[in-house]
Amino acid sequence: MKKYFSVLKNKLNESSEAIEKVERKIEAVVEQYKYKSPSLEVKKKLEELYLQTEGT
């Protein structure tokens, strides 16, 4: 049982790290284009990053 919880805890930590990484990417894209009118390219990047977040 301890091994199961250990594996589960590791997977949870990995997932949290992956989500944080995607969130930092989203923040970087938003900051990069903060003062520009959003283009189709920016919207597409944000959508891709959002979908990555949803997938983790």
Side-chain angles (χ1 to χ4, degrees), residues 3 12 18-19 23 28 37 40 50 55:
K3 183 178 180 181
L12 182 60
I19 290 170
E23 287 175 345
S37 60
L40 185 59
Y50 175 77

Side-chain angles (χ1 to χ4, degrees), residues 13-29:
N13 286 337
E14 289 173 8
S15 296
S16 294
E17 290 171 5
I19 290 170
E20 288 176 20
K21 185 177 178 181
V22 171
E23 287 175 345
R24 284 192 300 269
K25 287 180 181 181
I26 291 171
E27 289 173 4
V29 170

Side-chain angles (χ1 to χ4, degrees), residues 28-44:
V29 170
V30 169
E31 190 63 31
Q32 182 179 0
Y33 293 98
K34 190 175 189 175
Y35 300 105
K36 296 179 182 179
S37 60
S39 67
L40 185 59
E41 178 184 342
V42 173
K43 289 178 184 178
K44 189 172 184 173

